[in-house]
């Protein structure tokens, strides 16, 4: 799973050695914060794929990693199985128009992008770890007991 680091100027997607091998990328992805125009959480990142696979690895339903190309777009993809993910739309980035990857830290990323952060890159889970999270309590359902016969 990717590690997401954020500072005042950029988002860095840190890839493990395995992820670097399957995506055919030698370095971490660095995206300027001002190029991020939309961040969306998704339950199934596979539905966001567009175009055809370029350099990378694809095992349908299990792994999609690398570059995907459509008519006028190039996307970076790192999807494992059918897990929750994040879709980041970019405008003005030299390399990609969209980043799609599976991560458990999508909510932390969306919260961290709204905050002023330090000049040093920090993991998004650490940035949002100090923020109180509002939890809405649902209605209590009535207890249904069988009627005596």
């Amino acid at each position: 799973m990717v590690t997401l680091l954020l500072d005042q100027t950029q988002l860095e997607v840190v890839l493990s050695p395995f992820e670097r091998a399957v995506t055919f990328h030698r370095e971490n992805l660095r995206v300027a914060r001002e190029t991020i125009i939309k961040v969306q959480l998704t339950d199934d990142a596979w539905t966001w794929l567009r175009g055809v696979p370029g350099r990378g690895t694809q095992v349908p339903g299990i792994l999609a990693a690398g570059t995907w190309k459509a008519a006028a777009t190039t996307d970076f993809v790192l999807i494992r199985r059918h897990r929750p993910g994040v879709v980041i739309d970019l405008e003005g980035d030299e390399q990609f128009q969209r980043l799609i990857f599976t991560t458990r830290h999508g909510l932390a990323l969306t919260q961290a992008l709204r905050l002023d952060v330090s000049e040093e890159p920090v993991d998004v889970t650490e940035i949002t770890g100090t923020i109180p999270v509002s939890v809405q309590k649902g209605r209590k359902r009535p207890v249904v007991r069988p009627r005596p016969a």
Side-chain angles (χ1 to χ4, degrees):
M1 180 173 46
V2 296
T3 302
L4 304 170
L5 301 178
L6 186 67
D7 64 20
Q8 290 179 351
T9 60
Q10 71 180 1
L11 169 67
E12 183 174 358
V13 180
V14 180
L15 303 173
S16 70
F18 171 75
E19 292 165 342
R20 289 174 194 238
V22 296
T23 60
F24 290 60
H25 280 264
R26 293 183 185 196
E27 297 181 2
N28 297 334
L29 293 175
R30 290 178 182 84
V31 176
R33 281 183 76 165
E34 66 262 8
T35 63
I36 298 173
I37 57 172
K38 186 174 13 173
V39 178
Q40 300 175 72
L41 302 178
T42 180
D43 289 334
D44 188 5
W46 289 93
T47 60
W48 288 88
L49 290 178
R50 58 185 179 183
V52 295
R55 288 186 69 195
T57 306
Q58 181 193 14
V59 180
I62 297 174
L63 178 69
T67 304
W68 284 64
K69 296 184 179 192
T73 61
T74 304
D75 301 341
F76 176 80
V77 174
L78 184 54
I79 302 171
R80 293 183 181 176
R81 303 213 181 255
H82 292 277
R83 296 181 181 163
V86 174
V87 179
I88 302 173
D89 288 319
L90 307 172
E91 187 174 279
D93 188 68
E94 297 174 5
Q95 203 171 13
F96 301 110
Q97 284 72 44
R98 184 180 279 174
L99 307 177
I100 306 169
F101 48 87
T102 52
T103 181
R104 288 178 285 184
H105 306 300
L107 184 58
L109 173 63
T110 59
Q111 291 173 342
L113 284 170
R114 295 178 183 164
L115 301 173
D116 291 327
V117 295
S118 68
E119 293 180 14
E120 295 297 317
V122 180
D123 193 329
V124 295
T125 57
E126 292 178 22
I127 294 170
T128 58
T130 58
I131 299 174
V133 178
S134 62
V135 177
Q136 295 180 358
K137 294 184 178 180
R139 296 183 322 179
K140 290 187 177 181
R141 292 194 273 170
V143 176
V144 179
R145 296 190 176 121
R147 292 185 180 173

